Amino acid sequence: RDGHRHDLFWTGTARHADIVLPSTVSLERNDIGAASNDPWLIAMQKAVDPLAMARNDYDVFADLANALGVGAAFTEGRSAEEWLPHLYETWRENVAATNADLPPFDEFWRRGYLPLPDIDEGLVLFEDLRRDPIANPPRTPSGRLELFSETIAGFVYDDCAGHPTWYEPREWRGSPDAETFPLVLIANNPRTRLHSQLDEGAYSQSVKIQGWEPVRIHLDDAAVRSIGDGDIVRLFNGRGSCLAGAVLSRDVRPGVVQLSTGAWYDPIDPDDPRSMCAHGNPNVLTFDQGTSKLAQGCSGQQALVDVALWEGPAPPIRAYAPPATVARDLVSEPMLTGAG
């Protein structure tokens, strides 16, 4: 349970936090907005005052830094509002040699936006290399496009050679575990939401099966398990289990089931890391080992499972239940009073 994360709203992850600090959203605070190769710098001026006890992230972290005895190093003596002109003017000074016409911060803030110089609107990947590969070689040891890396080969990793090659997946139809868990789970990104965002929304809810995340299973695999369309089923393997609503389909291959990621995690017993998820989150089934010692990429899109008809009453879905809260006045009763 170590670590922290930011959520704009109450989410399936926030439900399991030990401490939740209310934070402002973009419309409740001033900021500067831009991204790589954007043609505009935007003065993100707050539209409304913070709701209730919400505070800016910066103010929360400044209090934490003060409690740890490093407040001065963290804030450098500036408030959140004072950082904005400082960052802007520092940037303006850095580009003054090539663009002397950039306005001071106060004028930029009044205007609300600023067209950025030197933006390549027709950005093409490796454009310089394609135009003149001799004058603009790749930044590789050989100066050429490399299919073999001496550096990577020198790591002598047993799961990542110095060149592209095939390694047997940890879990697939050809592995010994398939004798116990014969179905390949494909946990793809959902089409009705962005990852887990807006899982509680009407569009995401419109495809649920009696409230459960749908799992697609081939008719033949369903028949041998006595599973009908719309039945509640249990997906399981040696790591965990979850409930889902069965959708019988010929759009998946026999031996494959498809359960999208993003259904808000809803364990029956939050204190048990192996507790069944009552809602249909495939993370309880997939493994969290990286793709290789070098890449450490996500490998949580596939796993071996089995599926069985759920018999008896299904547990309630509590993923969207509001939190039990204890309100405190953080102004007259600050939470951070020392370094403890």
Side-chain angles (χ1 to χ4, degrees), residues 160-174:
C160 186
H163 57 84
T165 187
W166 183 85
Y167 291 96
E168 180 177 334
R170 176 174 173 177
E171 294 186 13
W172 67 302
R173 293 290 295 275

Side-chain angles (χ1 to χ4, degrees), residues 15-16 263-268 276-279 281 316-319:
R15 289 181 65 229
H16 303 279
W264 285 11
Y265 178 53
D266 187 16
I268 302 296
M276 181 177 72
C277 174
H279 189 203
N281 188 309
I317 296 174
R318 303 169 299 177

Side-chain angles (χ1 to χ4, degrees), residues 68-315:
L68 296 172
V70 292
F74 178 81
T75 66
E76 297 184 12
R78 299 184 185 90
S79 67
E81 297 299 319
E82 292 170 334
W83 269 107
L84 296 180
H86 174 75
L87 293 172
Y88 178 91
E89 294 296 347
T90 300
W91 166 74
R92 190 165 76 104
E93 292 174 6
N94 290 338
V95 299
T98 55
N99 291 279
D101 296 331
L102 294 176
F105 176 81
D106 289 344
E107 182 179 340
F108 156 69
W109 197 253
R110 284 194 301 270
R111 184 187 302 175
Y113 63 91
L114 177 69
L116 293 176
D118 301 326
I119 297 299
D120 184 359
E121 296 184 358
L123 182 64
V124 176
L125 190 63
F126 299 121
E127 181 179 18
D128 293 341
L129 172 66
R130 296 176 63 177
R131 184 180 65 252
D132 189 343
I134 303 301
N136 304 286
R139 292 192 297 270
T140 62
S142 66
R144 300 183 178 186
L145 297 178
E146 296 186 353
L147 301 181
F148 173 80
S149 171
E150 192 74 45
T151 300
I152 296 177
F155 297 152
V156 197
Y157 288 150
D158 58 2
D159 60 357
C160 186
H163 57 84
T165 187
W166 183 85
Y167 291 96
E168 180 177 334
R170 176 174 173 177
E171 294 186 13
W172 67 302
R173 293 290 295 275
S175 62
D177 288 344
E179 297 180 5
T180 306
F181 305 109
L183 300 176
V184 176
L185 168 68
I186 301 299
N188 60 292
N189 286 334
R191 66 178 178 83
T192 59
R193 56 184 175 259
L194 178 61
H195 303 294
S196 65
Q197 296 177 41
L198 296 179
D199 181 46
E200 79 284 17
Y203 186 40
S204 179
Q205 293 296 311
S206 69
V207 305
K208 304 277 187 177
I209 307 299
Q210 305 179 55
W212 283 269
E213 187 68 16
V215 57
R216 289 166 179 81
I217 181 171
H218 192 274
L219 278 71
D220 294 345
D221 294 323
V224 299
R225 292 167 173 81
S226 301
I227 294 172
D229 196 57
D231 284 342
I232 302 305
V233 298
R234 175 176 174 261
L235 288 78
F236 60 95
N237 59 19
R239 283 180 293 272
S241 62
C242 68
L243 296 182
V247 176
L248 275 55
S249 174
R250 296 190 185 278
D251 292 337
V252 293
R253 295 180 59 181
V256 174
V257 292
Q258 179 265 318
L259 177 66
S260 296
T261 62
W264 285 11
Y265 178 53
D266 187 16
I268 302 296
D269 181 2
D271 292 327
D272 181 3
R274 296 177 62 85
S275 179
M276 181 177 72
C277 174
H279 189 203
N281 188 309
N283 288 356
V284 298
L285 301 164
T286 59
F287 50 89
D288 56 5
Q289 177 180 341
T291 52
S292 72
K293 293 183 177 67
L294 177 68
Q296 292 296 324
C298 176
S299 56
Q301 306 292 150
Q302 180 175 317
L304 289 174
V305 301
D306 203 351
V307 179
L309 180 67
W310 180 261
E311 299 179 356

